[in-house]
Amino acid sequence: MNKQNNIVQSRNPLAEVMPELVKTARGDKTASLVIENAKLVNVVSGEIQPDIDIAVQGTRIAYVGNDASHTIGEETVRIDAKGKYAAPGLIDGHCHIESSQITPKQFARAVLPKGTTGGFFDAHEIANVLGLQGLRLMLNELRQTPMAGYMQVASCVPSTSTEFETSGASIGPEEVAEAFTWGEDMIALGEVMNFPGVVFGDDKMMGEIQETLKAGRVADGHYTWPSDDWRMSAYAASGISGDHEVTSAEQVIDRVRLGMYAKLRRGSAWHDVVPTITAYTEQGIDSRRLMLVTDDRSPESLVDEGHMDFVVRHAIEQGVPPVVAFQMATINSAERFGLSQDIGSITPGSFADIIILDGPLPEVNVQTTIAAGIVVAENGEMTGDWVSDSYPEEAQQSVHLDPVFQAEHFVMEAPSGTPDGTYNARAIQVRENHVDTKEEHIHVSVQNGIVTRPENADVCKISVIERHGINGNQSTAFLTNVGFSKPAAFASTAAHDSHNLMVIGNDDTLMAKAANKVITMQGGVAVVTEDDTVTYPLSVAGLMSSEPFEKVAEQSRAISQSLAAAGCTMNYAFMTLSLLALVVIPELRLSDKGLVQHTDEGFVHVPLLVR
């Protein structure tokens, strides 16, 4: 690869470069790049245009038409598309970079060759560990890549309130207002997960949304209540205008009818496009407020399946016409965030974010990626490279626990005075390829004040331990459907959204060993069985590795393989398990402060024992 940073481009506002674009379009200035003989995927008009030339001046497009010969000079870089498709660079309308366990520069290295040239990134994972400092770290590194990367201010730090969980930081209206002063690429308020707080007028949530609207930005949503009553209107009335928590066609239609954008998600383990896309393919809802997004993609799925190219292919396989699928992954997202003048289409004045496809359009086989007017990837490989930033000590020393855990730390005590006997206990039932869980009741025994895990059933313990050095809380509950077929334990600091230390297992001694391994690494993942230990360091805030994404993908794959060897064969099991402490998702979750259940009024603590 070439010298590092040789592909990082500035993205100047249109007003600064407009005169040069006009000169180029009329032939008075030589284009820096010209693509000739392309089939243009025109996402604005919804058509394929044959025999199109595209002339670029610097970072933006100056000319689109049938003959760009008048813009070509001796210094012009010429690309003969030879009749191949040219499409706008793909845009991820909702993504958490940290969920890929790689830093922004490594994320760009992973997705640019696959045709993703831009995205709207919600860094609420690192914000829950480091607050605004974490958000700035992500933004500053993203700015050093050629991507059209836009950051959102984390709205829910913590995701609900300190009554239900302990995070490492807190963000409120003042912090939101400050973050919007950092630049125009601080584009929106990140997903507002505390939807009960919005509906019932919580001062903090109201204040954050007000600061967003005053700054001329938009607010993203996260709403999991039924959408067919007054509460959905109250949520939309707040100004929240997009939502990715849609899992059915009806939910999509309900949101679009209220003026919102519906984001159809296909992450590594969240397979929501199949049921939601039927709002368009079967029920005929207008597609221009539908967006394709990933939300969360594991590093090995980026390698094995792809990024937005994979999601677009997947949508086409569900019956979406190819041009419409490209609209859902380009212009629709740009329009949703008010950036259609800059990104999302191949039109004069827009940034020159262009992909050239090899083969039929539905295959979305990206041959060449151009970002801000520079060829950054060809045939699946970057044309230049860079190294990841070094991170401050507080980002690399974020696990404030000592590796002193032993089996007795995972013993479950019954409430004081509980008589010996058999009881029903709440258990969290994990669901493959779904973000939600189900509440299940299992039979347990209480002897001498100790709640005993059923030995002959697929029941694990799950424990969440506060790791930010605030209170040292620990809560333990039951978990089903993990599938462990032998003694095993899994521990991780990637535990959405407060990212405390989460430990899952069916053997207390192994749970303690796994917890200590992760603490010693200062964050990451460990899978421990009686005859093997596999570790996966995530030294940046306990969430990301600064290693090259290829190495990180193999480390993540090793975790998946070790889980499968222990009997947990869920698709991308690590991704699914990482959500079990995310208290804003139905139906039952565990935080460091105990079990949290969803009701029509909001979130409530519930006891372990039902009777």
Side-chain angles (χ1 to χ4, degrees):
M1 292 189 179
N2 299 332
K3 184 179 178 181
Q4 72 179 48
N5 292 330
N6 68 344
I7 59 174
V8 177
Q9 297 293 306
S10 63
R11 290 177 174 268
N12 296 322
L14 179 58
E16 294 182 11
V17 297
M18 178 270 292
E20 303 304 304
L21 299 181
V22 175
K23 288 179 184 178
T24 304
R26 67 175 181 251
D28 289 346
K29 186 177 178 66
T30 297
S32 55
L33 170 72
V34 170
I35 301 170
E36 301 171 275
N37 306 314
K39 291 191 188 81
L40 175 62
V41 181
N42 194 321
V43 296
V44 179
S45 61
E47 61 183 329
I48 305 294
Q49 294 177 261
D51 302 319
I52 293 296
D53 293 351
I54 305 159
V56 175
Q57 184 58 251
T59 63
R60 290 182 181 260
I61 297 168
Y63 169 89
V64 180
N66 296 117
D67 184 4
S69 60
H70 64 294
T71 71
I72 296 173
E74 291 184 2
E75 301 300 318
T76 303
V77 175
R78 299 174 68 175
I79 297 175
D80 186 354
K82 298 180 180 178
K84 295 176 181 177
Y85 291 96
L90 303 175
I91 300 169
D92 195 338
H94 178 76
C95 177
H96 307 286
I97 291 176
E98 307 99 307
S99 291
S100 296
Q101 294 113 51
I102 47 182
T103 59
K105 284 184 177 179
Q106 290 301 318
F107 181 84
R109 284 189 64 239
V111 304
L112 280 165
K114 299 179 183 300
T116 300
T117 59
F120 298 94
F121 303 111
D122 186 349
H124 69 212
E125 316 302 349
I126 198 170
N128 268 279
V129 180
L130 299 173
L132 285 187
Q133 180 192 15
L135 186 60
R136 253 200 190 282
L137 289 172
M138 297 292 283
L139 177 65
N140 289 341
E141 186 168 329
L142 192 61
R143 284 172 172 170
Q144 297 172 48
T145 77
M147 294 186 70
Y150 299 91
M151 194 65 70
Q152 297 175 272
V153 187
S155 66
C156 293
V157 180
S159 66
T160 52
S161 70
T162 55
E163 176 186 353
F164 295 105
E165 58 189 322
T166 306
S167 63
S170 179
I171 289 179
E174 290 185 7
E175 290 78 14
V176 169
E178 177 187 338
F180 283 135
T181 68
W182 296 349
E184 294 299 316
D185 49 359
M186 289 300 308
I187 195 66
L189 186 67
E191 56 177 296
V192 181
M193 297 181 287
N194 188 1
F195 50 91
V198 176
V199 171
F200 293 110
D202 174 78
D203 288 343
K204 174 177 177 289
M205 296 317 307
M206 292 290 103
E208 289 186 19
I209 297 171
Q210 285 178 318
E211 292 298 335
T212 300
L213 299 178
K214 286 192 290 186
R217 307 311 208 275
V218 298
D220 250 354
H222 169 122
Y223 185 93
T224 64
W225 272 335
S227 54
D228 57 354
D229 63 21
W230 64 270
R231 294 174 298 181
M232 187 76 237
S233 281
Y235 193 67
S238 72
I240 294 171
S241 51
D243 186 15
H244 67 284
E245 289 295 335
V246 289
T247 58
S248 70
E250 290 70 30
Q251 292 173 353
V252 170
I253 293 169
D254 287 343
R255 283 156 177 75
V256 171
R257 284 173 173 168
L258 294 179
M260 300 176 75
Y261 282 81
K263 303 183 180 187
L264 315 187
R265 171 174 54 192
R266 182 57 162 89
S268 298
W270 332 133
H271 296 185
D272 296 325
V273 167
V274 171
T276 55
I277 201 67
T278 57
Y280 166 71
T281 58
E282 296 180 9
Q283 301 194 47
I285 201 75
D286 194 307
S287 66
R288 294 306 289 270
R289 286 193 176 236
L290 306 184
M291 299 163 55
L292 294 173
V293 306
T294 67
D295 198 4
D296 305 291
R297 294 289 283 167
S298 73
E300 70 265 37
S301 68
L302 292 177
V303 172
D304 295 344
E305 296 176 334
H307 190 240
M308 287 302 296
D309 58 324
F310 170 74
V311 182
V312 174
R313 271 194 304 276
H314 178 60
I316 294 170
E317 290 167 357
Q318 310 313 312
V320 179
V323 173
V324 176
F326 273 87
Q327 287 174 328
M328 293 178 181
T330 56
I331 190 66
N332 292 11
S333 296
E335 289 177 342
R336 184 267 177 280
F337 289 97
L339 291 171
S340 58
Q341 189 177 60
D342 286 339
I343 60 174
S345 67
I346 298 177
T347 49
S350 295
F351 283 120
D353 296 335
I354 302 165
I355 56 177
I356 299 174
L357 306 174
D358 189 15
L361 188 59
E363 293 182 0
V364 199
N365 183 19
V366 180
Q367 174 182 297
T368 303
T369 302
I370 298 163
I374 297 293
V375 176
V376 297
E378 291 185 287
N379 300 314
E381 298 289 337
M382 295 292 294
T383 59
D385 202 4
W386 50 72
V387 295
S388 291
D389 286 356
S390 59
Y391 284 82
E393 181 179 356
E394 54 268 35
Q396 299 188 68
Q397 299 290 320
S398 64
V399 180
H400 301 285
L401 292 168
D402 293 322
V404 296
F405 284 87
Q406 299 182 24
E408 53 262 34
H409 288 98
F410 300 96
V411 170
M412 299 173 67
E413 296 183 357
S416 178
T418 302
D420 290 352
T422 300
Y423 293 82
N424 285 327
R426 289 183 170 88
I428 303 167
Q429 182 191 98
V430 63
R431 304 180 67 217
E432 184 176 22
N433 294 331
H434 290 273
V435 296
D436 63 322
T437 66
K438 295 296 182 183
E439 178 176 320
E440 183 178 353
H441 292 179
I442 62 174
H443 297 298
V444 299
S445 63
V446 174
Q447 297 292 328
N448 300 318
I450 302 301
V451 183
T452 303
R453 181 184 66 83
E455 294 293 338
N456 298 317
D458 178 18
V459 179
C460 287
K461 290 181 180 179
I462 176 172
S463 191
V464 177
I465 305 161
E466 189 275 316
R467 61 104 161 179
H468 304 293
I470 296 174
N471 53 40
N473 286 343
Q474 179 178 0
S475 292
T476 305
F478 292 114
L479 178 67
T480 65
N481 212 30
V482 174
F484 284 152
S485 56
K486 63 181 182 180
F490 164 89
S492 175
T493 48
H496 304 267
D497 265 351
S498 289
H499 296 289
N500 287 306
L501 175 59
M502 181 177 65
V503 189
I504 295 168
N506 55 11
D507 182 286
D508 292 353
T509 299
L510 297 181
M511 292 176 72
K513 185 176 180 180
N516 291 334
K517 285 286 184 183
V518 170
I519 294 168
T520 301
M521 292 189 296
Q522 270 298 306
V525 186
V527 177
V528 179
T529 61
E530 291 177 319
D531 51 13
D532 194 21
T533 297
V534 177
T535 58
Y536 174 23
L538 298 172
S539 61
V540 182
L543 302 173
M544 297 176 290
S545 170
S546 59
E547 296 282 358
F549 81 89
E550 298 93 339
K551 180 178 179 179
V552 177
E554 291 310 307
Q555 291 176 318
S556 180
R557 193 187 311 278
I559 292 294
S560 297
Q561 291 169 344
S562 62
L563 285 169
C568 179
T569 58
M570 286 185 292
N571 180 49
Y572 295 111
F574 172 32
M575 299 292 286
T576 301
L577 297 177
S578 71
L579 292 189
L580 293 174
L582 180 51
V583 298
V584 296
I585 301 283
E587 190 169 78
L588 186 67
R589 305 277 159 159
L590 182 72
S591 77
D592 65 301
K593 295 190 174 183
L595 285 167
V596 179
Q597 185 187 68
H598 281 233
T599 72
D600 288 343
E601 286 73 42
F603 313 111
V604 295
H605 285 295
V606 291
L608 175 69
L609 300 180
V610 180
R611 183 180 72 87

